[in-house]
Amino acid sequence: MTGSRKNLIILGAPGAGKGTQAKRLAGDFSWVHLSTGDMLREAIDKGTPLGVRVESYVKAGDLVPDDLIIELVGERLQQPDCGSGFLLDGFPRTVRQARKLDELLPGLGIHLDAVLYIRVPDDLIVERLSRRFTCSECGQMVIGSAGISECPECGGGLMRRPDDEPDTIIHRLGVYRENTRPLIDLYEAKRLLFEIDGTGSAETVYDRIVSALDPDSKGE
Ligand code: AMP
């Protein structure tokens, strides 16, 4: 599959491992990793007008208004690097966003190849999110365990995303169930959905994704 252009959506609850898998897939296959969460966090950190507008939503674990996100993604998809394939991570997150994306893509000459749905049981999601940290130096995501106090990649200090605090986690899962879960049926009906078992190690999940996208790669 190396070098093959694919336009994908990666879907799943917060903490399902979307970001980890998307980063690795994007690196291995030269696709653009388009994470709306990362774009918003960057805008907030830089204090841009968009960042100022969205900060309170992101901190509270609420969804940013659809129109802002649709504009952000629409602009990003028009940049030439997306022509080599992309992975949309964290978008769409509402049925309205999915419909708008459907309207947008043909005009940009883009065809959606597949939607990867990373399925993880709720109890595992809560457990993973409560152990999730980000390296303050290199930005690497780290699932903490006893004895880990620094980033295994660069030794930097670990910090928790403000929206990974326990109360906000519960709230974000509720937001996901209400707004984003309906997208699973929507993409299933379009025959675009690939359901991936998201339990087990990141490595195992990655292998499942690659096999699902390209069944011929099994055993390579
Ligand atoms: P994530 O990193 O994908 O978990 O996103 C972090 C936060 O950014 C979410 O809790 C929302 O506040 C906001 N966000 C990211 N993507 C979207 C989207 N597609 N629609 C609305 N809000 C979003």
Side-chain angles (χ1 to χ4, degrees), residues 8 10 21 42 55-56 66 114 116 129 144 153 177 194 201 219:
L8 306 171
I10 190 159
Q21 299 299 336
E42 194 184 325
E55 184 166 14
S56 59
D66 284 339
L116 301 169
L129 284 177
E153 296 287 320
R177 275 187 211 114
F194 287 70
S201 70

Side-chain angles (χ1 to χ4, degrees), residues 84-95:
S84 57
F86 58 80
L87 263 155
L88 273 173
D89 163 13
F91 178 92
R93 237 175 169 106
T94 64
V95 170

Side-chain angles (χ1 to χ4, degrees), residues 195-207:
E195 186 169 313
I196 311 287
D197 175 0
T199 60
S201 70
E203 188 71 31
T204 306
V205 177
Y206 182 82
D207 290 344

Side-chain angles (χ1 to χ4, degrees), residues 13-15 18 35-41 44 54-66 69-70 72-73 89-94 97 129 132 161 163-164 168 172 175 180:
K18 301 186 297 293
S35 156
T36 44
D38 284 353
M39 290 160 87
L40 295 173
R41 279 184 289 276
I44 293 169
V54 301
E55 184 166 14
S56 59
Y57 296 99
V58 175
K59 288 242 159 82
D62 286 324
L63 293 181
V64 165
D66 284 339
I69 286 285
I70 291 158
L72 187 71
V73 172
D89 163 13
F91 178 92
R93 237 175 169 106
T94 64
Q97 291 179 14
L129 284 177
R132 176 162 91 170
R161 255 172 62 169
D163 56 350
D164 278 348
T168 318
R172 284 167 63 211
V175 170
T180 312

Side-chain angles (χ1 to χ4, degrees), residues 9 24 69 94 106 120-121 133 154 171 173 188:
I9 290 173
R24 177 153 175 212
I69 286 285
T94 64
V120 175
F133 295 90
C154 75
H171 179 62
L173 279 173
E188 173 96 289

Side-chain angles (χ1 to χ4, degrees), residues 12 18 24 30 34 42 46 60 80 87 94 96 102 107 112 142 144 171 174 183 203 205 215-216:
K18 301 186 297 293
R24 177 153 175 212
S30 303
L34 222 160
E42 194 184 325
K46 287 188 175 154
L87 263 155
T94 64
R96 181 154 179 269
D102 278 351
L112 195 61
V142 179
H171 179 62
L183 298 183
E203 188 71 31
V205 177
D216 295 340

